[in-house]
Amino acid sequence: MTDRVYPSAKTNGTATATAAATNGTAAVNPPQFPPTKSQLYNPVTRHPYRPNPAIHARHNHRRCSCRRCFCLCCFWSILIFLIIILLAAIVGAAFYVLYRPHRPAFSVSSLKLSQFNLTTTPADDSTRLTTKLNLTISSKNPNKKITFYYNPITINLFSGQVLLANGSFSNFTSAPNDVNIIHSTLGMISQLLDADSVTALKSDLKRKNGLPMKIEMETKVRVKLENLKSKRIGIKITCDGIHGLVPKDKNPAVATTSKAKCKVDLQIKIWKFNF
């Protein structure tokens, strides 16, 4: 008996594929993973895939528009700020030309010491100061169209850092081109001094030209210009260059005020800070 050999399906498939290739039919190769660049196709058009340049152009356009808006905002902000400064400068110059505003002027007319006693207690070696002075100050308004309204004034008299006397003066009004005279009695009753203050006072009392003294006054003032009134502004008046001798017996000693000069400073408060 003769044995027959039957070809397997694999052999038949290979033969069929070989025959198809021989007959001009292209064989379909399975896809390769990962696909190469030449195998990337658009699923719709069946053309090779290329990135859409419109997306990148859109992003670049957004970035340019944002930068442009930012630059325009900065430009207009700076321009408006400069215009405001220019207008303020013009208004300030016009105001100064029309009204010529000046600060009030103060001067010390006289200062008389009627009492000045340093008393030391041997029991505790403490030193106390008792003083009494009569002060006269003149206040002048050099403006022609501006009126000053003063609050009560606090007055302190110092020698170096030592407080010699204090007092006050009531509120008053200073009209344009007006001169006001301020009379005040200053004093200190049995004020306890520390050792450094006593040493400084005794050293200053030995000077030939007398005890150097300084007057400090603080108040608030309101300014009126025609029908306009400002808020109350703090001012500080400092008068330096005063020298006085200690009175003897019951005769008051007149201090030298010919070289005294007074300076007026504005005290502007912003939050908790004074300028």
Side-chain angles (χ1 to χ4, degrees), residues 2-201:
T2 304
D3 294 331
R4 296 180 179 179
V5 180
Y6 296 93
S8 62
K10 183 176 181 181
T11 306
N12 294 336
T14 305
T16 306
T18 305
T22 306
N23 296 330
T25 305
V28 179
N29 296 325
Q32 299 178 3
F33 294 95
T36 60
K37 186 175 181 181
S38 60
Q39 293 175 338
L40 294 176
Y41 290 91
N42 192 308
V44 179
T45 60
R46 305 299 298 175
H47 293 293
Y49 177 78
R50 295 184 180 89
N52 191 356
I55 298 176
H56 299 280
R58 195 179 302 118
H59 287 294
N60 293 334
H61 179 70
R62 289 179 181 176
R63 292 177 183 175
C64 293
S65 61
C66 293
R67 292 178 182 177
R68 184 180 179 185
C69 292
F70 178 76
C71 293
L72 287 175
C73 290
C74 292
F75 171 76
W76 285 109
S77 300
I78 295 173
L79 183 61
I80 292 172
F81 179 72
L82 293 176
I83 291 174
I84 292 174
I85 293 179
L86 180 61
L87 292 176
I90 293 173
V91 172
F95 176 81
Y96 180 80
V97 171
L98 290 175
Y99 297 102
R100 298 280 181 176
H102 296 281
R103 297 183 184 184
F106 290 82
S107 60
V108 180
S109 300
S110 65
L111 177 64
K112 296 180 181 180
L113 288 78
S114 56
Q115 188 177 2
F116 191 97
N117 296 327
L118 276 175
T119 306
T120 303
T121 304
D124 54 0
D125 199 25
S126 61
T127 303
R128 298 180 179 273
L129 175 64
T130 301
T131 59
K132 185 178 180 180
L133 305 93
N134 295 320
L135 176 65
T136 303
I137 292 178
S138 63
S139 171
K140 182 180 179 181
N141 183 0
N143 300 283
K144 297 181 179 180
K145 298 181 180 180
I146 297 177
T147 303
F148 296 116
Y149 297 90
Y150 291 92
N151 277 10
I153 303 175
T154 59
I155 307 173
N156 294 316
L157 181 68
F158 292 90
S159 176
Q161 300 297 325
V162 182
L163 179 63
L164 299 181
N166 53 23
S168 62
F169 188 77
S170 60
N171 56 329
F172 65 97
T173 301
S174 182
N177 293 324
D178 195 8
V179 177
N180 300 88
I181 304 299
I182 300 173
H183 294 286
S184 181
T185 300
L186 311 180
M188 190 78 72
I189 299 176
S190 190
Q191 175 67 25
L192 181 63
L193 301 178
D194 54 27
D196 294 336
S197 299
V198 174
T199 303
L201 275 180

